[in-house]
Amino acid sequence: MTNNPFFGPWNTPFELPPFDRLRPEHFPPAFDRGMQEHIGEIERIASSSEPANFANTIEGLERSGRLLRRVGRVFNNLTSSVTNPEFDAIDRDYAPKLAAHRSRIMLDAGLFARIGALWRKRDELDLAPDQRRLLERHHLNFVRAGALLNPARKARMSEISERLASLHTLFGQNVLHDEDEWRLVLDERDLAGLPDFARAAAAEAAKARGLDGKYAITLARASVEPFLTFSARRDLRRAAYQAWAARGTHPGERDNRPLIREIMVLRAEQARLLGYDSFAAYRLDDTMAKTPEAAQALLREVWEPAKHKAADERAELATMARADGLNEPIAPWDWRDYAEKVRQAKYAIDEAAVKPYFVLDNIVQAAFDTARRLFDLRFVERRDCPVYHPDLRAYEVRDASDRPIGLFLHDNFARPGKHSGAWMSSYREQEALDGEVLPIVVNNNNFSKGDPTLLSFDDAHTLFHEFGHGLHGLLSRVRYPSQAGTAVRRDFVEFPSQVFEHWLEVPETLRRYARHYRTGDPLPEELLQKLLAARTFNQGFATIEYTACAMLDLDLHSSAGRRELDVDAFEKEFVAKIGMPPEIGLRHRPAHFGHLFAGGGYAAGYYAYLWAEVLDADGFAAFVENGDPFDPALSARLKAIYSAGDTMDPMQLYRAFRGRDPEVAPLLNKRGLAT
Ligand SMILES: [Zn+2]
């Protein structure tokens, strides 16, 4: 194929992928050639007659596979943001092929012999600190992939990795299918209780599905959560909640439970082959936490206080519900609705009254302005970039001396064919191995589009969170591609994103950017104070629904991978064992827990959010103690974390910023769990 854009130069701003010219059929040949080139490069390194040195082996590895990386990045981004049946089919076809390709390299004995030789004499190589860490990281990655195993075991490792890649892909596609398939189609008369923004979003969702004049609730979090919060129709709330909770559990070819069973068996087998008792022990060995026990200890530290707080919250909800004429116990489809009523009564805050002050465009500007004040960055919109969807916005990012440092893409709206949730990703990562390469970073959100688009306070937090990840990619200042930006340990990667969320709550940010979409008036001071005072409200619920999932993840991955695992029975026993309050549902039930099963990234790693929250609460407390949320000296030390990528140990990085080890107390305060 001569006109395949992957085989020619990209004359676009920042060499952005030419989305307008890319077609699904371009990917298979590009993947094939990418893998072929990569293997050729690896073979040249492995069979070189020169003795191994850092340049010909480690730097050689860092230079290898560029075409494949480029194709893979574009593909992964498009299948997450704008997938279609053709992309899904390619994904199912190539996920195992790419896993086999990766195994072939990671289990290459000749290549590993050279890395091992360098690693053994690492003290004599006179390496710079980033090079030393890079060598150790490559060596560890190979060992953790099975490089020390005998040929039969290597073959088995590789076989399992391929099968897991297929299972992960299917799992994610099944969840998206269930989310896209289901909709609650409503008429005007069914909308009792819904504020204007939720009506407008439901009308948009119906329109996007060819149901003009109707209203549709979908299983995207941004659609179903407001419905559960405001709908006065308990019967409809129940139907929506049950459909949401049932994603991935429909018997038949889209059922995710058999996939979970197989994934668990295979992960446990891989861990055993590598000499670990469990997948959790294997996974945690290469994190900041180091052991499942350390992660569990942190989860336990919040679990009981959270249960106490949730019990108090439930009592308030029950009182409100009785006054409302509900004589049954609070059910999971009631909690959000009554919590909102209690919040309105207790803090006199009405989510529907707050939302008009959170206009998407203004909150984007607030995030940009915070990046300017903390890190001297400016965001300038570019309208000359190719886009894969008309809603995608592109910004050139410039530093204090007006030099471009990267490109930032913002994809904010929910739509069919886009995975739910919010995430940051890259089309290209920063590096400086053979000249400076600037990063191209994308943030995906799933806000309900409106005119204008209005956000909840939580949505605004999500936007700041992903933008924090975005800055981690954009501010990266490393030499080697595999150390760039967010390539840090899983339980550290949420620190830059979560700490950034604190700046949304800085009163001067809210005073300036939270403005009414019609009048332009700032958020009334009284409402602002109430909003901040209410931040610990319902944190019992939020902590329970998250922490239960984090404990479930570690529990599941600490078991030996029973072949007969009955996912439903496991879940039932587990929630009984931990004393899960029955009126609170798991934030993610196993059958749609994409963090664990749509990929391996967060498997035995969902605790990472809370682990990083210890750091973010403690880290932001430094600014509070200082009395200036934009203190230049502290911001400069924080910026060093965003720029370091994986060139340093995370704990060392944190200490350099904070001047001491992290403490847990600020986290308990932040969530209102301190006793
Ligand atoms: Zn995150």
Side-chain angles (χ1 to χ4, degrees):
M1 205 180 304
T2 50
N3 59 349
N4 189 327
F6 283 111
F7 302 151
W10 292 350
N11 301 314
T12 46
F14 288 80
E15 296 178 314
L16 193 66
F19 296 117
D20 45 343
R21 293 193 288 126
L22 284 175
R23 305 278 168 267
E25 63 268 25
H26 294 141
F27 287 86
F31 270 128
D32 291 342
R33 191 189 290 185
M35 286 191 275
Q36 201 183 358
E37 282 184 17
H38 195 195
I39 291 294
E41 289 158 343
I42 294 297
E43 276 169 2
R44 274 193 294 282
I45 298 170
S47 63
S48 165
S49 54
E50 288 173 45
N53 60 39
F54 189 83
N56 69 19
T57 302
I58 301 300
E59 290 188 340
L61 266 178
E62 290 286 315
R63 284 193 181 93
S64 69
R66 286 196 197 270
L67 174 61
L68 183 58
R69 266 213 302 275
R70 183 154 82 148
V71 181
R73 290 248 168 71
V74 178
F75 186 75
N76 291 338
N77 277 301
L78 293 183
T79 50
S80 303
S81 298
V82 276
T83 198
N84 60 42
E86 281 167 290
F87 274 131
D88 285 352
I90 298 168
D91 202 3
R92 286 190 298 272
D93 188 12
Y94 275 83
K97 289 183 188 169
L98 291 163
H101 172 77
R102 184 174 183 274
S103 293
R104 182 170 166 190
I105 293 170
M106 299 307 286
L107 301 173
D108 185 301
L111 179 61
F112 182 67
R114 292 172 72 87
I115 295 170
L118 288 173
W119 180 76
R120 279 186 296 277
K121 56 176 186 187
R122 59 197 179 283
D123 291 330
E124 301 142 40
L125 296 175
D126 198 22
L127 299 174
D130 62 331
Q131 295 177 320
R132 164 87 181 218
R133 189 167 168 88
L134 185 68
L135 170 57
E136 288 172 347
R137 169 56 44 198
H138 275 297
H139 181 260
L140 187 63
N141 284 347
F142 276 79
V143 171
R144 288 177 58 80
L148 295 172
L149 301 178
N150 68 31
R153 291 185 160 193
K154 277 185 185 170
R156 180 62 189 148
M157 280 297 287
S158 164
E159 200 179 0
I160 294 174
S161 297
E162 276 171 60
R163 180 63 189 153
L164 280 174
S166 291
L167 292 167
H168 295 158
T169 302
L170 285 175
F171 187 98
Q173 290 184 355
N174 289 346
V175 175
L176 183 57
H177 173 270
D178 282 2
E179 287 177 354
D180 272 353
E181 197 77 339
W182 191 89
R183 68 207 58 171
L184 186 60
V185 180
L186 305 173
D187 290 316
E188 185 74 39
R189 65 175 185 279
D190 304 317
L191 304 182
L194 295 191
D196 288 347
F197 79 85
R199 286 168 187 249
E204 278 281 339
K207 214 166 108 188
R209 287 160 180 79
L211 299 159
D212 286 59
K214 296 267 189 186
Y215 300 86
I217 304 305
T218 75
L219 296 182
R221 191 173 280 276
S223 175
V224 71
E225 269 197 327
F227 187 75
L228 293 172
T229 305
F230 294 107
S231 173
R233 290 275 301 274
R234 194 175 192 234
D235 58 331
L236 298 179
R237 286 203 314 264
R238 180 183 170 141
Y241 182 86
Q242 288 179 336
W244 197 33
R247 287 169 295 153
T249 64
H250 302 293
E253 58 171 3
R254 299 282 185 177
D255 190 350
N256 268 339
R257 290 166 299 184
L259 307 189
I260 294 175
R261 213 150 38 224
E262 193 179 346
I263 290 171
M264 293 306 303
V265 169
L266 294 174
R267 284 182 182 158
E269 186 182 344
Q270 281 198 327
R272 272 197 311 276
L273 283 167
L274 295 166
Y276 292 89
D277 290 340
S278 69
F279 183 81
Y282 161 70
R283 176 46 60 86
L284 276 283
D285 196 22
D286 186 30
T287 60
M288 235 179 138
K290 304 276 187 243
T291 63
E293 292 70 31
Q296 267 152 353
L298 173 65
L299 297 172
R300 267 199 306 275
E301 203 161 343
V302 302
W303 181 247
E304 288 303 323
K307 272 212 284 197
H308 286 299
K309 190 162 194 301
D312 292 347
E313 290 167 5
R314 183 191 49 214
E316 285 182 303
L317 265 50
T319 308
M320 178 64 80
R322 271 194 301 279
D324 201 36
L326 177 71
N327 291 314
E328 290 172 52
I330 298 284
W333 46 91
D334 298 320
W335 188 292
R336 288 173 179 79
D337 183 53
Y338 285 105
E340 178 58 22
K341 291 191 169 95
V342 170
R343 191 166 79 122
Q344 289 185 18
K346 201 166 162 179
Y347 296 94
I349 301 175
D350 171 354
E351 165 107 23
V354 169
K355 222 162 165 161
Y357 290 94
F358 287 86
V359 178
L360 171 65
D361 289 347
N362 294 347
I363 301 307
V364 171
Q365 287 308 318
F368 290 172
D369 194 38
T370 303
R372 180 184 62 80
R373 298 186 65 182
L374 287 174
F375 306 132
D376 267 329
L377 297 181
R378 284 198 309 126
F379 289 73
V380 184
E381 182 155 15
R382 301 247 340 207
R383 295 179 187 273
D384 55 344
C385 294
V387 292
Y388 55 77
H389 188 279
D391 286 340
L392 186 72
R393 311 278 286 268
Y395 303 86
E396 183 171 310
V397 188
R398 298 191 190 149
D399 68 9
S401 49
D402 221 30
R403 202 179 59 101
I405 64 153
L407 192 70
F408 175 68
L409 305 175
H410 225 175
D411 183 349
N412 283 318
F413 303 116
R415 59 175 170 258
K418 181 169 171 181
H419 281 233
S420 59
W423 65 95
M424 168 270 191
S425 177
S426 296
Y427 280 92
R428 187 173 68 190
E429 265 149 15
Q430 182 270 335
E431 58 158 300
L433 181 52
D434 300 305
E436 183 74 40
V437 173
L438 301 182
I440 302 173
V441 162
V442 60
N443 272 183
N444 277 274
N445 289 298
N446 263 292
F447 303 134
S448 294
K449 194 174 177 179
D451 185 23
T453 298
L454 300 176
L455 306 183
S456 68
F457 199 34
D458 281 346
D459 290 338
H461 267 272
T462 301
L463 188 145
F464 265 62
H465 177 99
E466 298 309 330
F467 190 68
H469 283 307
L471 292 173
H472 201 186
L474 289 164
L475 285 167
S476 178
R477 280 291 162 275
V478 304
R479 185 166 20 168
Y480 297 107
S482 73
Q483 291 179 325
T486 53
V488 297
R489 297 309 88 209
R490 184 64 71 192
D491 51 3
F492 189 62
V493 77
E494 297 299 332
F495 170 68
S497 53
Q498 290 180 180
V499 77
F500 196 78
E501 288 181 53
H502 290 268
W503 276 273
L504 173 64
E505 296 190 1
V506 166
E508 50 187 294
T509 306
L510 291 173
R511 281 184 199 119
R512 180 139 181 227
Y513 290 99
R515 289 181 173 268
H516 197 280
Y517 74 99
R518 235 182 264 134
T519 63
D521 290 342
L523 187 68
E525 193 61 25
E526 196 199 343
L527 193 52
L528 186 153
Q529 293 307 335
K530 285 186 204 157
L531 202 56
L532 296 181
R535 280 307 281 166
T536 58
F537 176 71
N538 213 35
Q539 280 296 308
F541 170 87
T543 309
I544 292 287
E545 70 157 7
Y546 160 81
T547 306
C549 291
M551 295 196 294
L552 179 141
D553 169 30
L554 285 175
D555 207 73
L556 198 55
H557 285 103
S558 295
S559 73
R562 293 163 293 162
R563 193 159 288 279
E564 73 282 14
L565 174 73
D566 175 335
V567 177
D568 294 332
F570 170 83
E571 179 183 341
K572 220 170 142 197
E573 273 167 44
F574 179 79
V575 299
K577 184 174 84 180
I578 62 172
M580 180 86 180
E583 55 285 328
I584 300 178
L586 291 169
R587 187 173 171 87
H588 311 279
R589 293 183 61 211
H592 48 254
F593 206 159
H595 290 82
L596 310 195
F597 303 116
Y602 276 87
Y606 193 63
Y607 77 92
Y609 294 97
L610 195 73
W611 189 269
E613 196 175 325
V614 172
L615 305 180
D616 81 62
D618 185 61
F620 188 72
F623 288 89
V624 175
E625 288 158 20
N626 184 283
D628 176 4
F630 297 96
D631 179 79
L634 272 174
S635 317
R637 297 216 301 268
L638 184 63
K639 189 178 180 180
I641 292 184
Y642 283 81
S643 299
D646 195 45
T647 56
M648 265 173 85
D649 173 74
M651 191 56 107
Q652 253 176 293
L653 269 175
Y654 187 82
R655 282 190 201 117
F657 154 66
R658 191 64 166 101
R660 59 163 172 73
D661 280 4
E663 292 170 1
V664 181
L667 162 75
L668 297 176
N669 281 327
K670 175 185 165 189
R671 289 196 171 230
L673 302 176
T675 43

